Amino acid sequence: MDMRKLVGRNFARLRRDRGLTQEQVAERSGFSQQYLSNLERGWRNPTVITLYELSLALGVSHVDLVRPDLEDPIEH
């Protein structure tokens, strides 16, 4: 799995866990809904600053966005 897909999956899961829509996160973060949609699909390569800003919008640690899940480890 590549990091873009991992971040996208983590972002989507954390967003849904908090009951937020992409539109609500877009309002909180300043990123467009289209950007967030592409991020969730693994089509974006976010910067460290972007990860930090998205984590603030979700109310999570930036580490949560890059944390590998145990069910599908990242291949090296």
Side-chain angles (χ1 to χ4, degrees):
M1 155 152 304
D2 75 25
M3 285 301 292
R4 289 174 296 229
K5 290 182 182 179
L6 175 65
V7 168
R9 265 201 343 229
N10 285 342
F11 176 80
R13 178 181 45 78
L14 292 164
R15 177 183 61 75
R16 286 190 304 268
D17 288 351
R18 281 148 186 74
L20 296 170
T21 64
Q22 289 178 351
E23 291 81 8
Q24 290 169 318
V25 177
E27 289 175 18
R28 291 179 177 200
S29 67
F31 293 97
S32 72
Q33 184 274 327
Q34 185 64 47
Y35 178 89
L36 299 177
S37 176
N38 288 337
L39 180 77
E40 288 186 7
R41 290 184 174 110
W43 296 350
R44 289 295 196 168
N45 190 18
T47 66
V48 172
I49 293 169
T50 299
L51 292 175
Y52 177 74
E53 291 173 355
L54 291 174
S55 71
L56 290 177
L58 292 175
V60 301
S61 168
H62 59 284
V63 176
D64 294 330
L65 293 172
V66 297
R67 187 180 318 270
D69 56 33
L70 299 176
E71 295 162 10
D72 191 9
I74 297 175
E75 296 176 18
H76 296 282

